[in-house]
Amino acid sequence: MASIFDEDYLIEPLSRYSHSFPDPRFAPREGLLAYGGDLHPDRILSAYRRGIFPWYSPGDPILWWSPDPRLVLYPEALKLSRSFRRVLRNHPYEVRFDTRFRKIIDLCGDTPRPGQEGTWLTQEMRDAYSELHDRGFAHSVEVFMEGELAGGLYGIAMGGVFFGESMVSLRPNASKIALKALSDVSREKGYDLIDCQVVTDHLVGLGATPISRDRFLEELEHALCRGGDVGSWSNLKWEYGDDR
């Protein structure tokens, strides 16, 4: 399989006038398959339907990725430790959906992470995903503690897939609580999988599974065949129960 470090590897430029993408099956294992284009919401949705997502730093051209392997979380596979179950049972928190989307995306972009400088969430990306939220495709899961926003996550829902984008915690366990709520809601909605994009030890420890890109694209195609539920999630309710 090709690598982006091969001397003869060329990254394809995208047209600003077409939302077409190269076939991700032929992308290098690192996943970088194209650059350029724009972040019009229709282009972003077209990318996700093909298993592709944007990821780049401020000042760089827009980069489009489809890595191999791909990390996915099947909603029923989330692992809960005994200590985290105690947190879920006893810690005072409240989970809401789609009430603070822009705040969550700003927190994901502005909260420093160990070993990272700056943010990959450019203003252009924040605006694009906020428009997708207004259109009913992008959603946030928000965790409140003592009445204050403590963390959460956001992503895009299409067909039977939730494409996770980023998580953030201002207080311990907030993002894990959001992920538990998302996995339960995804299971109740009949979603096939939660796309976690790139492999991380943290998510693998929570039950996410690395699978080949070819398998991911096959499962994605199947999951997108079902009808979606485009629209706000603000009426959703979630509480932890040991039966979930």
Side-chain angles (χ1 to χ4, degrees):
M1 182 182 294
S3 167
I4 60 174
F5 300 106
D6 293 343
E7 290 185 2
D8 58 349
Y9 179 70
L10 296 177
I11 306 171
E12 294 192 34
L14 297 183
S15 168
R16 293 184 65 90
Y17 308 104
S18 168
H19 293 166
S20 62
F21 286 88
D23 188 337
R25 289 175 175 83
F26 301 109
R29 57 182 174 270
E30 295 87 357
L32 179 58
L33 78 162
Y35 72 92
D38 56 31
L39 291 179
H40 189 283
D42 290 342
R43 186 190 296 273
I44 294 177
L45 294 178
S46 179
Y48 279 100
R49 292 188 184 102
R50 291 165 174 79
I52 301 165
F53 57 87
W55 185 23
Y56 66 104
S57 299
D60 291 341
I62 302 171
L63 303 178
W64 300 89
W65 302 77
S66 184
D68 186 12
R70 189 77 165 230
L71 190 68
V72 302
L73 175 64
Y74 299 104
E76 69 281 0
L78 183 68
K79 296 179 181 178
L80 304 180
S81 66
R82 290 183 179 179
S83 60
F84 184 53
R85 287 184 185 276
R86 287 195 294 271
V87 170
L88 289 168
R89 292 191 195 101
N90 304 321
H91 201 74
Y93 60 85
E94 178 188 3
V95 173
R96 304 176 194 170
F97 301 83
D98 283 357
T99 68
R100 299 290 190 277
F101 181 88
R102 187 61 191 237
K103 183 62 175 178
I104 287 292
I105 197 172
D106 284 342
L107 286 175
C108 287
D110 296 340
T111 303
R113 298 183 181 185
Q116 289 187 359
E117 294 182 4
T119 176
W120 60 274
L121 265 172
T122 66
Q123 189 63 49
E124 188 180 16
M125 289 189 73
R126 300 183 198 202
D127 293 343
Y129 284 92
S130 294
E131 183 171 344
L132 286 166
H133 171 67
D134 294 339
R135 292 188 182 193
F137 288 99
H139 305 283
S140 57
V141 185
E142 308 133 9
V143 177
F144 291 80
M145 297 180 179
E146 299 175 350
E148 299 290 335
L149 185 60
L153 59 81
Y154 79 96
I156 290 176
M158 285 194 294
V161 183
F162 188 91
F163 300 89
E165 275 298 310
S166 190
M167 307 166 64
V168 63
S169 283
L170 301 181
R171 297 179 63 173
N173 295 306
S175 63
K176 288 173 62 176
I177 293 170
L179 185 60
K180 170 58 175 169
L182 174 64
S183 66
D184 288 346
V185 166
S186 297
R187 187 168 66 247
E188 291 164 4
K189 287 178 171 289
Y191 286 8
D192 292 347
L193 56 91
I194 299 168
D195 174 27
C196 303
Q197 298 182 344
V198 297
V199 178
T200 68
D201 292 341
H202 174 66
L203 289 174
V204 169
L206 293 174
T209 303
I211 62 175
S212 71
R213 179 169 56 209
D214 285 347
R215 175 180 165 185
F216 171 76
L217 293 174
E218 290 175 3
E219 293 188 13
L220 174 62
E221 184 176 5
H222 179 267
L224 290 177
C225 288
R226 66 180 63 197
D229 56 347
V230 179
S232 176
W233 284 11
S234 59
N235 63 336
L236 292 180
K237 305 294 182 184
W238 178 85
E239 292 183 357
Y240 173 70
D242 285 329
D243 58 332
R244 288 185 153 185

